[in-house]
């Protein structure tokens, strides 16, 4: 049979699988690898017994509701519960904004880019960022422009943002996509002062901010939580995105957007085209968990669980890797970003790492440009045990030692 020549749409014709990402995927399913790759929660994080009891209850009380067609916006009770939490705990405006339940946070960004990005438009991101957002932007013909990330301040430089927007005389920049809290892949957080200034700059230039916050509840250190960028929003220039994947279960495929009401209305319309509504069964489960006042207790449990794992990774990196790499310890979230010293050959390093059966996410995968971060890689600490983390870091250090470039001896 001759090969069919399909005429794909321009917006998807240029999308290609990432070789290193596919390699990381194979690592994730391999039984004999230490997996420090994807942002999976621990199996200990799942409320199996509690959710089984809730499931029995919602089958008795809501079976016909969750088996039937549902509202595109999400079930009203869950939306109101989310609004109550966002207003009470984060100080967010839920009067001039509304909540849309999405099929995971990934769908949220897809819907937002769909309603704002035309062919050739620009979306600003951090230079290292979530690859799913990059692909979503490109799928609508948008261009991704990464802004330099200052790891010491935990954010992009507001001055660079201001200069970039001022230079955009054709107004092609439509959005600024940020992960300001426990940034993925870096792990650090933006200061309150930078959040306020970035909001002020974008408001002045009439540019929307997409504040992606899947890890925001997972602060492990005894420090005050930082304000959301959305908490500064008085003009409808910020869309706030949250997720149940990191707290409840990724399989729930539940996320949400808090958006200004005119934006919310457009989002509802495009969601009706995408999938009509998010999984109703899991919406009822999440709603009942919140109603039973178990949600905050579960978050507290997760913070204690992951704090131990994060400490194990930081300690191991300091103890075994200090000669070969550097990193900034995060305060929360799922990840640590590591930089190999300049005298480590990254190609040899990944070969050695593969030989030692350790999986990580290479930095170029988590790069807006897909290049320029050969010396970086990301580690996940939430899925493996502390013992596995320690062994994995030992192997990483050994791989780095084997990949060290010999010094040239001058004659």
């Amino acid at each position: 049979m001759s090969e069919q020549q399909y005429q794909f749409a321009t917006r998807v014709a240029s999308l290609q699988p990432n070789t290193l990402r596919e390699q990381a995927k194979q690592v994730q399913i391999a039984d004999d690898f230490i997996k420090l790759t994807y942002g999976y929660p621990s199996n200990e994080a799942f409320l199996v017994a509690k959710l089984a009891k809730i499931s029995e209850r919602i089958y008795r009380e809501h079976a016909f509701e969750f088996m039937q067609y549902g509202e595109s916006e999400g079930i009203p009770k869950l939306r109101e519960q989310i609004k109550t939490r966002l207003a009470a705990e984060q100080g967010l405006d839920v009067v001039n904004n509304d909540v849309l339940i999405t099929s995971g946070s990934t769908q949220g960004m897809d819907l937002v880019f769909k309603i704002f990005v035309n062919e050739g438009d620009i979306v600003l991101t951090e230079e290292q960022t979530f690859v799913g957002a990059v692909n979503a932007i490109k799928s609508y013909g948008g261009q991704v422009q990464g802004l330099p990330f200052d790891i010491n301040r935990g954010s992009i430089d507001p001055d660079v943002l201001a200069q970039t927007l001022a230079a955009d005389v054709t107004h092609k920049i439509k959005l600024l996509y940020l992960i300001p809290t426990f940034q993925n892949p870096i792990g650090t957080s933006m200061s309150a002062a930078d959040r306020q200034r970035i909001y002020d700059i974008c408001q002045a230039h009439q540019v929307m901010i997409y504040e992606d916050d899947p890890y925001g509840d997972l602060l492990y250190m005894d420090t005050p939580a930082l304000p959301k960028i959305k908490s500064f929003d008085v003009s409808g220039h910020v869309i706030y995105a949250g997720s149940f994947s990191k707290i409840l279960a990724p399989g729930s495929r539940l996320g949400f957007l808090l958006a200004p009401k005119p934006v919310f209305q457009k989002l509802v319309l495009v969601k009706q085209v995408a999938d009509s509504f998010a999984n109703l069964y899991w919406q009822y489960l999440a709603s009942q968990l919140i109603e039973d006042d178990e949600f905050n207790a579960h978050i507290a449990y997760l913070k204690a669980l992951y704090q131990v794992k994060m400490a194990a990774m930081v300690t191991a990196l300091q103890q075994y890797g200090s000669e070969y790499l550097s990193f900034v310890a995060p305060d929360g979230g799922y990840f640590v970003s590591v930089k190999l010293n300049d005298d480590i050959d990254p190609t040899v390093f990944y070969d050695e790492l593969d030989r030692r059966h350790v999986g990580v996410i290479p930095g170029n995968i988590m790069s807006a440009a897909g290049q320029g971060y050969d010396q970086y890689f990301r580690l996940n600490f939430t899925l493996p045990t502390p013992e596995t983390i320690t062994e994995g870091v030992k192997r990483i250090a050994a791989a780095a030692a084997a990949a060290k470039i010999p010094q040239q001896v001058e004659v």
Side-chain angles (χ1 to χ4, degrees), residues 108-173:
M109 66 184 66
D110 181 74
L111 298 179
V112 169
F113 298 144
K114 187 174 185 176
I115 68 172
F116 280 108
V117 177
N118 290 314
E119 188 91 19
D121 284 344
I122 297 171
V123 178
L124 301 178
T125 71
E126 295 131 326
E127 207 165 44
Q128 282 192 286
T129 190
F130 176 50
V131 66
V134 172
N135 286 337
I137 295 162
K138 290 181 177 179
S139 73
Y140 291 108
Q143 300 176 32
V144 181
Q145 182 176 336
L147 298 175
F149 191 95
D150 184 341
I151 197 167
N152 293 314
R153 74 189 299 161
S155 75
I156 58 173
D157 187 333
D159 289 336
V160 173
L161 172 65
Q163 293 163 10
T164 302
L165 293 179
D168 180 31
V169 294
T170 59
H171 303 293
K172 297 298 287 184
I173 298 174

Side-chain angles (χ1 to χ4, degrees), residues 151-152 154 186-189 314 317 326-331 335-339:
I151 197 167
N152 293 314
I186 306 297
T188 57
S189 295
V314 169
L317 287 168
S326 59
F327 69 99
V328 176
D331 290 332
F335 306 114
V336 176
S337 180
V338 178
K339 180 183 182 295

Side-chain angles (χ1 to χ4, degrees), residues 29-48:
I29 63 176
D31 293 331
D32 58 345
F33 266 71
I34 291 179
K35 304 173 180 68
L36 307 177
T37 43
Y38 292 140
Y40 287 19
S42 169
N43 288 344
E44 300 170 80
F46 299 139
L47 286 163
V48 177

Side-chain angles (χ1 to χ4, degrees), residues 150-213:
D150 184 341
I151 197 167
N152 293 314
R153 74 189 299 161
S155 75
I156 58 173
D157 187 333
D159 289 336
V160 173
L161 172 65
Q163 293 163 10
T164 302
L165 293 179
D168 180 31
V169 294
T170 59
H171 303 293
K172 297 298 287 184
I173 298 174
K174 290 292 186 68
L175 285 154
L176 171 63
Y177 171 83
L178 292 174
I179 313 170
T181 307
F182 314 132
Q183 204 265 359
N184 180 14
I186 306 297
T188 57
S189 295
M190 183 185 297
S191 71
D194 279 352
R195 292 170 192 239
Q196 177 72 71
R197 184 141 182 255
I198 284 170
Y199 168 74
D200 291 340
I201 292 167
C202 287
Q203 181 193 34
H205 288 274
Q206 300 292 292
V207 169
M208 295 293 296
I209 298 173
Y210 188 104
E211 182 178 12
D212 196 3
D213 191 34

Side-chain angles (χ1 to χ4, degrees), residues 23-129:
Q23 183 182 34
K25 187 188 300 182
Q26 294 306 311
V27 168
Q28 198 64 32
I29 63 176
D31 293 331
D32 58 345
F33 266 71
I34 291 179
K35 304 173 180 68
L36 307 177
T37 43
Y38 292 140
Y40 287 19
S42 169
N43 288 344
E44 300 170 80
F46 299 139
L47 286 163
V48 177
K50 175 66 178 178
L51 292 178
K53 290 181 180 179
I54 292 177
S55 182
E56 291 178 7
R57 181 173 174 182
I58 66 170
Y59 264 98
R60 289 196 309 269
E61 299 178 3
H62 300 288
F64 294 123
E65 289 98 322
F66 73 72
M67 289 183 180
Q68 191 52 273
Y69 285 100
E71 298 180 40
S72 297
E73 296 88 340
I75 64 172
K77 186 174 181 180
L78 179 59
R79 293 171 60 215
E80 289 304 314
Q81 289 169 319
I82 291 171
K83 285 193 238 182
T84 298
R85 288 176 55 83
L86 293 177
E89 299 176 15
Q90 310 295 346
L92 305 192
D93 175 9
V94 296
V95 175
N96 298 299
N97 297 271
D98 212 340
V99 164
L100 173 69
I101 307 296
T102 59
S103 296
S105 61
T106 305
Q107 186 190 51
M109 66 184 66
D110 181 74
L111 298 179
V112 169
F113 298 144
K114 187 174 185 176
I115 68 172
F116 280 108
V117 177
N118 290 314
E119 188 91 19
D121 284 344
I122 297 171
V123 178
L124 301 178
T125 71
E126 295 131 326
E127 207 165 44
Q128 282 192 286
T129 190

Side-chain angles (χ1 to χ4, degrees), residues 3 27 29 63 81 102 119 132 226 228 264 281 284 297 302 321 398:
E3 183 177 341
V27 168
I29 63 176
Q81 289 169 319
T102 59
E119 188 91 19
L226 290 161
K228 309 303 180 188
F264 167 82
Y281 169 77
Y284 276 98
L302 292 180

